Amino acid sequence: MTNTSRSESLFQRSVKIIPGGVNSPVRAFKSVGRSPVFIQRARGSKLWDVDGNEYIDYVGSWGPMILGHAHPRIVEAVQKAAIDGTSFGAATERELEMAELIASIMPSVEMVRMVNSGTEATMSAIRLARAFTGREKIIKFEGCYHGHADSFLIKAGSGAMTLGIPDSPGVPRSISADTLTARYNDAKSVTSLIDNYPNEIAALIIEPVVGNMGCVPPKPNFLSELRALCSQNGIVFIVDEVMTGFRIALGGAQQLYNITPDITTLGKIIGGGLPVGAYGGKKEIMSMVAPAGPMYQAGTLSGNPLAMAAGIEMLKILKSDPSIYSRLEEKSSRLEKGFQSIIEKHNLPLMQNRVGSMFTVFFTKRNVIDYDTAKAADVKKFALYFNEMLNRGIYLAPSQFEAAFMSDAHTDDDIERTIEAAEHSLLKTVQ
Ligand code: HOZ
């Protein structure tokens, strides 16, 4: 058993002063029946906790660490930027460079506004869609998570799903009434909402590949059907690429599945690990954002120089080296095959989903294609498995309803060790 005594004592102190002892619920390890490990430092594919334990990391700060932790070029960019000042609340050349970089990689993004998190990006995007259409309702999908703004905490995935609070108290009824929910991978469920609320729906927002109920890929043509439905009905098509952007392909899910969103929301990865988000899309729509137009949205720290410096370096590296994506695919596929051979060899009641370097092993035999099938997973068995893996030095997201992420820093040895740990852990927990 790994010694995590210092983490435990820090957690005892934390719960007295921080709600639940953490600053974001998914970090609490609550659903896996233990207290969290406190991380001290990270490099490449590894994390070290305050007790000195080393872990192979598949959380990657929930996605953005696609190059691994503390990449030297990103660290240097942040250090250099910091010397010149950490925040100005004024226009900078870096923001322009970042906007041009994003637009050069994602052609659907004709104009872009930087914000500080994915939540800010999505909540601003729906305000913009409402301003643009003059309508109030939005469609989201059960089990998708778009941050914690009121409109999205309806049948929400991620921590809300993990903790069994998909519909959070505190969200005014007037706001939840304007959020309609459809079934992921079921375009017909969208059609009936559109039929029931003609000319009332401002936007449809979707995780193109869901990461927040575990990894769930779209069925063939699902995304293009949604695109067509939105175009036919004057609905703003918002593709939330906070997890998938620059991850499952350089140009994100919109490149991989050949769809053109009206608005794209971005986060995490464009800050290279610093707090960043962005929303961007058609010029006609983005021109409504203040001060170009009347839709108000603002932020002192938006386009922060440290975050821009880190993000620009990250995007430059990703853009200049396409072999990163072939390596990610090769390594993720090798890990998937390793898990598959364990599942088949021992006839385990598990299934896997993977899109590029995002993946989840579900504790169910049924195909996981939406919220209901994800919910069918055996979370108690997952909790046992999680703990076994942690004790073997493998750091997974502490929830069945989160995706795992491969980075370019993961080594062949990391993958071998993960497969070996998984076989032992699964045999101890599943049968
Ligand atoms: N929802 C994200 C993970 N699926 C971000 C992590 C968090 O909520 O802290």
Side-chain angles (χ1 to χ4, degrees):
M1 199 74 165
T2 310
N3 173 15
T4 53
S5 53
R6 183 157 157 69
S7 278
E8 281 151 39
S9 80
L10 290 175
F11 189 61
Q12 292 315 316
R13 274 171 60 198
S14 294
V15 288
K16 293 185 190 138
I17 188 89
I18 302 172
V22 290
N23 282 313
S24 191
V26 292
R27 294 179 201 171
F29 286 32
K30 205 170 171 181
S31 72
V32 291
R34 56 161 295 150
S35 57
V37 289
F38 278 55
I39 303 303
Q40 188 155 58
R41 67 192 174 91
R43 181 167 291 271
S45 61
K46 308 290 188 312
L47 294 174
W48 288 269
D49 69 15
V50 290
D51 290 282
N53 301 303
E54 180 183 294
Y55 304 96
I56 302 170
D57 178 25
Y58 289 99
V59 178
S61 190
W62 307 92
M65 293 304 164
I66 191 165
L67 299 174
H69 293 278
H71 189 284
R73 275 180 60 183
I74 293 173
V75 172
E76 194 191 333
V78 174
Q79 284 170 335
K80 274 195 180 149
I83 288 168
D84 289 334
T86 53
S87 176
F88 318 123
T92 63
E93 194 170 342
R94 283 197 187 93
E95 292 159 82
L96 170 62
E97 195 182 347
M98 170 63 97
E100 287 175 344
L101 250 177
I102 293 172
S104 74
I105 297 172
M106 287 184 167
S108 74
V109 177
E110 296 168 358
M111 292 183 104
V112 59
R113 166 61 62 84
M114 301 307 301
V115 290
N116 300 290
S117 68
T119 293
E120 258 193 75
T122 53
M123 72 183 202
S124 307
I126 56 161
R127 185 184 304 143
L128 177 57
R130 285 172 166 149
F132 183 72
T133 58
R135 302 172 178 178
E136 297 205 341
K137 296 199 184 302
I138 61 157
I139 296 177
K140 78 173 277 291
F141 290 83
E142 296 171 355
C144 283
Y145 179 77
H146 306 285
H148 64 85
D150 284 349
S151 301
F152 302 122
L153 290 179
I154 321 285
K155 292 246 169 120
S158 190
M161 182 172 178
T162 303
L163 297 172
I165 41 174
D167 306 296
S168 170
V171 174
R173 237 174 279 137
S174 56
I175 290 185
S176 49
D178 277 336
T179 300
L180 311 172
T181 52
R183 286 168 74 94
Y184 191 78
N185 272 326
D186 180 358
K188 284 207 181 87
S189 69
V190 174
T191 311
S192 32
L193 290 174
I194 295 173
D195 291 346
N196 289 342
Y197 299 94
N199 302 318
E200 285 189 65
I201 299 164
L204 175 148
I205 184 164
I206 189 163
E207 285 183 82
V209 172
V210 190
N212 285 300
M213 51 183 161
C215 177
V216 182
K219 285 183 180 166
N221 301 325
F222 174 59
L223 297 173
S224 46
E225 282 173 49
L226 297 181
R227 170 67 277 182
L229 281 171
C230 287
S231 300
Q232 287 152 16
N233 294 282
I235 296 169
V236 176
F237 184 41
I238 305 174
V239 176
D240 182 353
E241 297 237 41
V242 166
M243 280 194 189
T244 52
F246 312 99
R247 155 80 50 193
I248 59 174
L250 177 64
Q254 50 198 276
Q255 178 189 317
L256 193 66
Y257 297 103
N258 194 22
I259 45 160
T260 306
D262 295 317
I263 301 178
T264 299
T265 52
L266 298 166
K268 312 179 206 256
I269 199 161
I270 56 168
L274 276 85
V276 179
Y279 61 104
K282 283 193 174 142
K283 202 169 193 167
E284 186 193 2
I285 303 177
M286 291 301 294
S287 300
M288 290 207 70
V289 179
M295 195 288 295
Y296 201 75
Q297 181 273 310
T300 299
L301 292 169
S302 300
N304 172 268
L306 303 194
M308 292 302 96
I312 288 167
E313 208 53 34
M314 167 82 90
L315 293 190
K316 277 186 179 164
I317 297 170
L318 294 174
K319 194 179 171 186
S320 65
D321 184 2
S323 68
I324 291 172
Y325 292 93
S326 27
R327 283 197 296 275
L328 285 170
E329 173 59 29
E330 192 275 318
K331 284 188 275 195
S332 307
S333 151
R334 192 137 42 89
L335 191 62
E336 180 187 31
K337 284 185 186 133
F339 272 92
Q340 199 54 38
S341 66
I342 298 168
I343 293 170
E344 283 165 20
K345 180 168 145 199
H346 303 289
N347 194 23
L348 303 176
L350 306 174
M351 71 82 62
Q352 307 185 75
N353 277 335
R354 178 175 78 83
V355 178
S357 54
M358 284 174 72
F359 45 90
T360 299
V361 176
F362 285 99
F363 282 65
T364 172
K365 265 188 125 152
R366 284 175 72 188
N367 268 351
V368 176
I369 55 163
D370 57 17
Y371 184 75
D372 288 338
T373 46
K375 282 294 273 182
D378 187 334
V379 291
K380 289 202 178 104
K381 292 242 164 83
F382 173 84
L384 295 172
Y385 165 71
F386 170 88
N387 280 285
E388 288 292 332
M389 289 292 266
L390 193 74
N391 281 329
R392 290 178 168 82
I394 312 293
Y395 188 82
L396 302 172
S399 165
Q400 172 71 100
F401 307 119
E402 298 286 356
F405 298 95
M406 183 72 75
S407 83
D408 197 35
H410 282 81
T411 62
D412 291 348
D413 181 59
D414 290 336
I415 293 168
E416 302 301 308
R417 281 171 53 197
T418 306
I419 294 169
E420 199 182 310
E423 181 155 29
H424 288 291
S425 302
L426 287 170
L427 289 179
K428 277 190 87 166
T429 55
V430 179
Q431 288 178 326

